[in-house]
Amino acid sequence: MLSPFLAGTSQAWAALGADPSLLDRVSFGGPSGGLPARLPVMELARATVAACSLAAAELTAVRTGRPVPRVRVDDESVATAFLSDRLVRVDGQAWSTFAPLSRFWRAADGWVRTHANYPHHRARLLTALGVPVDAGEEAVAAAIAERTALAVEETVYAAGGLAVAVRGPEEWAKSEQGVLVAGQPLLTTARIDDAPGRVLGEAALPCAGLRVLDLTRVLAGPVATRTLALLGADVLRIDAPQLPESQEAHNDTGMGKRSTTLDLGDATGRRVFEELLDEAHVVVTGYRPGALDRFGLTPEALAERRPGLVIARLSAWGRYGPWHERRGFDSLVQVATGIAELEGSPDSPGALPAQALDHGTGYLLAAGVLRALTEQHRTGGTRLVDLALAQTAHWLVHDLAPAPGKDDGFDAGNWLTETDSPMGRLRHALPPVSYEGGPVNWARPPGLWGTDAAVWGGASTCSHHVGR
């Protein structure tokens, strides 16, 4: 019988199509009281980090020719990492993870949550509600109070903004999108062609010599690529110059990476991107389904231009159903899927103690890439990994069970460190993904967002098999 601590990890490991016998390499420890909630949030956090750590250890064995290293997951480290966006500091200064208009509002018949952290989302929200662009919270509250929650949701989404009515778990389960989400696995992996296998040269780090194009934004995708950077990958994040990004968010998720901007709608930007793609091994995307298709970034188009890629895709609601093209963030997925009601009170909705859907999905996404690289080394093929925040939410609500833990004095300070960065003295969480002999910190701090050159940082140690 599996240890109760291994139950969630076993589910995630099975979803990755991995060898179940490797689970005996994993052990757990540390105080477990860092993510208190009614739902088994600590189990989600523990399981996703454990699966990612084991996938890293497995790929390390491929690169070194040695047995798979042992993995030990520390609950205190995991909880600290899941709070990393809230714990990061620059010269002692914190930042607010949510803008004033990103919050719960009382509607005429219930509650609605909006997301307006980015200026363009804020502007679309205000336009949809018919209030002035310089309006404050009182004007927004009044505009929402006179509408039903579903009316706010539909009106704001039609304007390109983000607002979701609070639903209970039963209501979500009966909805068309909820039914489809429930029918999906935690994640999907696929081999989409017969491209030659990749020779992964001997290296101490599992992702050494691998080049990763990171087309993601807050928070799950950047957590995944931050993890690949920890494990030795050359990660280059690419953003559109016209889309603003928060330097404060990048201070947390930009660890180990470089960051640049390219306009893929411009001939010069597209040419530079194609040159980068010609030498890439992994492409990770985190935009809503269909948003990047016009740039030739579907898996089929990428595989045709660069056979042997690992392609990892993240969405909020899944790539199916009536919501598949909707924008979404962790906080909104919590609201739609019943989590906000389950974690709330009779007086108001609630929230998880961390952006746990984002962080957990991020570690699963990294694990999917690592496992795809392992399988690719063995049998070749362009590989595709797909995840959705809504599928992670379903796992949390319906499939995970809490494991017993030791709530004996959680202290995030045990897993925080400081380093000098271009922004100032940076305090950040240490990585929770670890295995025997693995890295304990990133090789470089984040830089100023979007200011790096659009070039690869070093020589690759990977090539394709010949004649396969």
Side-chain angles (χ1 to χ4, degrees), residues 211-215 234 236-238 258 260-262 264 268-283 306 309 453-457:
R211 293 168 171 161
V212 178
L213 283 175
D214 176 5
L215 284 77
D234 181 7
L236 180 62
R237 173 167 166 170
I238 296 177
R258 290 174 301 112
T260 193
T261 60
L262 287 176
L264 299 188
T268 300
R270 185 63 178 272
R271 175 183 55 78
V272 173
F273 178 83
E274 293 297 326
E275 290 172 353
L276 292 167
L277 179 64
D278 284 344
E279 298 183 9
H281 305 101
V282 179
V283 175
R306 178 68 166 151
L309 275 176
V455 297
W456 292 116

Side-chain angles (χ1 to χ4, degrees), residues 294-375:
R294 68 187 186 278
F295 302 123
L297 295 180
T298 64
E300 297 75 16
L302 287 168
E304 183 177 347
R305 304 205 300 286
R306 178 68 166 151
L309 275 176
V310 170
I311 303 160
R313 302 186 299 178
L314 168 74
S315 64
W317 308 107
R319 297 178 180 275
Y320 44 81
W323 285 33
H324 77 280
E325 290 187 338
R326 286 196 175 192
R327 297 170 175 85
F329 293 91
D330 179 311
S331 58
L332 301 183
V333 176
Q334 290 186 41
V335 164
T337 58
I339 291 173
E341 181 178 287
L342 292 170
E343 292 291 339
S345 70
D347 298 325
S348 66
L352 299 178
Q355 298 290 95
L357 303 181
D358 266 334
H359 284 274
T361 306
Y363 290 115
L364 286 175
L365 187 64
V369 170
L370 295 166
R371 288 247 58 254
L373 289 165
T374 295
E375 294 299 327

Side-chain angles (χ1 to χ4, degrees), residues 42-245:
M42 191 64 232
E43 178 61 10
L44 179 145
R46 178 190 298 120
T48 55
V49 170
C52 187
S53 299
L54 188 54
E58 181 188 31
L59 187 55
T60 297
V62 169
R63 302 296 299 266
T64 62
R66 299 172 187 153
V68 175
R70 293 193 174 278
V71 168
R72 181 169 177 80
V73 178
D74 186 288
D75 278 1
E76 192 171 62
S77 171
V78 170
T80 303
F82 267 60
L83 295 165
S84 66
D85 49 306
R86 305 179 186 186
L87 295 172
V88 67
R89 302 284 187 274
V90 175
D91 293 331
Q93 297 298 307
W95 67 291
S96 175
T97 53
F98 287 103
L101 299 188
S102 296
R103 46 164 276 198
F104 288 106
W105 309 86
R106 189 180 287 279
D109 63 345
W111 291 87
V112 65
R113 182 155 190 169
T114 55
H115 195 287
N117 284 5
Y118 289 114
H120 56 296
H121 290 158
R122 181 183 186 277
R124 292 169 186 171
L125 170 67
L126 296 174
T127 298
L129 295 176
V131 297
V133 293
D134 59 350
E137 294 180 63
E138 289 185 3
V140 173
I144 291 177
E146 63 188 22
R147 296 170 166 90
T148 67
L150 284 176
V152 173
E153 177 181 290
E154 294 300 330
T155 301
V156 173
Y157 262 106
L162 295 108
V164 174
V166 174
R167 292 165 171 82
E170 296 83 6
E171 184 181 359
W172 173 250
K174 293 176 182 177
S175 70
E176 184 177 353
Q177 193 68 30
V179 169
L180 292 171
V181 168
Q184 293 290 318
L186 176 58
L187 58 91
T188 59
T189 61
R191 173 176 172 162
I192 62 176
D193 65 17
D194 294 320
R198 192 179 304 287
V199 175
L200 297 173
E202 185 174 347
L205 292 177
C207 292
L210 292 167
R211 293 168 171 161
V212 178
L213 283 175
D214 176 5
L215 284 77
T216 69
R217 294 167 73 79
V218 291
L219 179 61
V223 166
T225 52
R226 177 182 72 183
T227 303
L228 299 176
L230 168 75
L231 300 171
D234 181 7
V235 179
L236 180 62
R237 173 167 166 170
I238 296 177
D239 287 272
Q242 66 271 23
L243 285 179
E245 183 55 289

